[in-house]
């Protein structure tokens, strides 16, 4: 049995791509997208026609509105080849705008439902800022499920769980990148700080009975994935899915609710002031959150530029 096949016994596999062909090849349950992945996809010959069609069909609308239609168009195509859910990201420029994020989430769901896609098959991705978490809390009460992304710390995860968010995406690889750069150490296996962060969050959730799903994200190598076997979900790039599919090395379950229940940990009490203080105290989480928002904003601007050029 391949590592990918074994992993599927313990964990729901999610494709981290906007490439439909890759999604078909690995038969994941769900798929996630973000501004960077969509920007990458629409620059490929096989996907550019989707962007051109959307721009043509919605000519006369604002660039912002056309981009919303483009994101949903990709989501609809992805849902044709997976049995589960697709994650569609809100504009990263709304990361500190609670009301703006709420309105964007509602609009994306409106577009999906107008196309005949039930909201249960869509997760709205929002950055794990205090404002983003508050937006997700409102959307969840309306039956619009959310995927809180750019998550790098336990306080962010706890705030999401207490807001009854459906799913979180802690970023393993970006945490690893920060610690590798700051310490000069090339971490492997269970010593990887990104792996440890996700294990800590998973253990906390299962220990205290939260329903929020944990989906490890942003992997740099298959070792990180193997160490998180048993996590609720893992979203993995096509390149790493291929490596798992080609390997028959042993893979054992590393995370389980039973292990989490036995852990000796204390609850973390949070309000806005404590959340902001603890996040600020964590240099890695503060820097990677800011860096991630800036990067997604930059790609959103590039995507806007492509749409604007077509809409002339």
């Amino acid at each position: 049995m391949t590592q990918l096949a074994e992993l599927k016994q313990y964990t729901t596999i999610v494709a981290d791509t906007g490439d439909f062909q890759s999604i078909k090849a690995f038969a994941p349950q769900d798929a996630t997208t973000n501004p960077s992945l969509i920007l990458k996809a629409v620059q490929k010959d096989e996907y550019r026609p989707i962007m051109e069609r959307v721009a043509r069909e919605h000519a006369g609308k604002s660039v912002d509105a056309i981009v919303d239609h483009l994101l949903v168009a990709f989501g609809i195509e992805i849902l044709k080849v997976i049995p589960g859910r697709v994650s569609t990201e809100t504009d990263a420029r709304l990361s500190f705008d609670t009301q703006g994020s709420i309105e964007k989430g509602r609009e994306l769901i409106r577009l999906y439902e107008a196309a005949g896609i039930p909201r249960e098959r869509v997760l709205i991705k929002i950055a794990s800022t205090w404002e983003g978490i508050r937006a997700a809390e409102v959307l969840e009460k309306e039956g619009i499920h959310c995927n809180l992304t750019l998550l790098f710390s336990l306080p962010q995860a706890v705030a999401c769980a207490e807001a009854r968010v459906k799913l979180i995406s802690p970023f393993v690889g970006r945490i690893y990148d920060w610690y590798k750069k700051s310490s000069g150490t090339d971490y492997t296996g269970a010593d990887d700080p990104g792996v440890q962060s996700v294990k800590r969050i998973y253990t906390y959730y299962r220990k205290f009975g939260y329903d929020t799903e944990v989906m490890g994200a942003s992997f740099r190598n298959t070792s990180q994935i193997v160490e998180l076997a048993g996590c609720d979900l893992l979203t993995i790039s096509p390149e790493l899915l291929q490596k798992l599919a080609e390997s028959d090395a042993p893979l054992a379950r590393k995370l389980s609710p039973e292990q989490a229940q036995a852990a000796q940990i204390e609850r973390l009490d949070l309000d806005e002031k404590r959340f902001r203080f603890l996040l600020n105290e964590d240099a890695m989480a503060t820097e990677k959150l800011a860096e991630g928002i800036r990067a997604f904003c930059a790609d959103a601007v590039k995507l806007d530029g492509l749409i604007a050029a077509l809409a002339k």
Side-chain angles (χ1 to χ4, degrees):
M1 187 179 290
T2 68
Q3 285 193 318
L4 182 58
E6 287 209 57
L7 185 61
K8 286 182 176 181
Q9 295 182 106
Y10 313 124
T11 293
T12 297
I13 303 301
V14 181
D16 194 12
T17 181
D19 184 331
F20 316 145
Q21 299 307 316
S22 293
I23 293 171
K24 287 180 183 177
F26 297 106
Q29 174 72 20
D30 295 352
T32 58
T33 64
N34 62 44
S36 303
L37 293 173
I38 297 298
L39 177 65
K40 183 178 178 181
V42 297
Q43 294 179 85
K44 294 182 177 181
D45 290 341
E46 60 264 48
Y47 299 122
R48 185 174 177 82
I50 296 175
M51 180 173 65
E52 294 172 343
R53 172 178 59 80
V54 169
R56 184 172 60 252
E57 291 177 351
H58 300 283
K61 294 182 179 179
S62 68
V63 169
D64 187 50
I66 297 173
V67 168
D68 287 348
H69 282 281
L70 177 64
L71 297 177
V72 171
F74 264 85
I76 290 169
E77 291 301 318
I78 289 169
L79 287 170
K80 292 177 181 177
V81 297
I82 61 169
R85 306 167 294 187
V86 67
S87 291
T88 297
E89 193 144 350
T90 57
D91 193 325
R93 290 166 288 190
L94 298 172
S95 295
F96 302 100
D97 182 347
T98 297
Q99 191 57 38
S101 295
I102 292 169
E103 292 170 1
K104 182 63 74 176
R106 288 171 176 164
E107 175 62 10
L108 291 170
I109 288 296
R110 186 190 71 79
L111 294 177
Y112 272 111
E113 291 186 329
I117 304 297
R119 61 181 57 190
E120 291 76 20
R121 296 199 69 195
V122 182
L123 293 172
I124 300 299
K125 286 181 79 174
I126 303 174
S128 300
T129 58
W130 180 260
E131 294 81 3
I133 296 168
R134 300 281 69 79
E137 185 174 33
V138 172
L139 291 171
E140 289 285 355
K141 290 176 181 177
E142 298 177 3
I144 298 173
H145 294 312
C146 298
N147 171 354
L148 271 288
T149 188
L150 293 174
L151 194 147
F152 303 97
S153 67
L154 183 61
Q156 287 174 291
V158 172
C160 288
E162 292 181 349
R164 298 184 182 276
V165 166
K166 182 67 173 178
L167 180 146
I168 62 168
S169 296
F171 276 29
V172 177
R174 297 193 193 192
I175 294 173
Y176 162 84
D177 293 343
W178 191 91
Y179 280 101
K180 180 180 178 180
K181 182 178 179 180
S182 65
S183 69
T185 302
D186 189 6
Y187 299 94
T188 59
D191 294 328
D192 188 308
V195 168
Q196 293 175 352
S197 179
V198 175
K199 286 184 175 180
R200 190 177 308 118
I201 292 167
Y202 175 90
T203 300
Y204 189 96
Y205 276 15
R206 299 294 86 83
K207 173 73 173 182
F208 296 116
Y210 289 108
D211 292 329
T212 300
E213 300 169 23
V214 181
M215 180 171 72
S218 172
F219 293 104
R220 298 293 178 260
N221 53 64
T222 56
S223 171
Q224 294 170 333
I225 296 166
V226 169
E227 287 297 327
L228 292 175
C231 191
D232 301 328
L233 307 95
L234 297 175
T235 182
I236 306 169
S237 70
E239 294 78 14
L240 293 180
L241 285 171
Q242 183 66 43
K243 289 183 178 180
L244 291 167
E246 293 172 348
S247 174
D248 58 1
L251 185 147
R253 183 167 191 164
K254 299 295 181 73
L255 300 180
S256 70
E258 294 75 21
Q259 290 174 328
Q261 282 294 320
Q264 300 299 310
I265 53 176
E266 295 183 0
R267 276 188 179 273
L268 181 61
D269 292 323
L270 282 180
D271 56 13
E272 181 178 354
K273 290 180 288 187
R274 184 146 178 79
F275 173 90
R276 293 191 186 280
F277 178 77
L278 291 175
L279 188 59
N280 188 72
E281 286 291 284
D282 188 333
M284 176 277 298
T286 298
E287 292 173 20
K288 298 308 287 186
L289 174 60
E291 179 188 273
I293 291 172
R294 284 195 300 269
F296 282 162
C297 285
D299 283 341
V301 169
K302 292 176 184 175
L303 191 57
D304 284 356
L306 292 177
I307 290 294
L310 289 172
K312 286 182 179 178

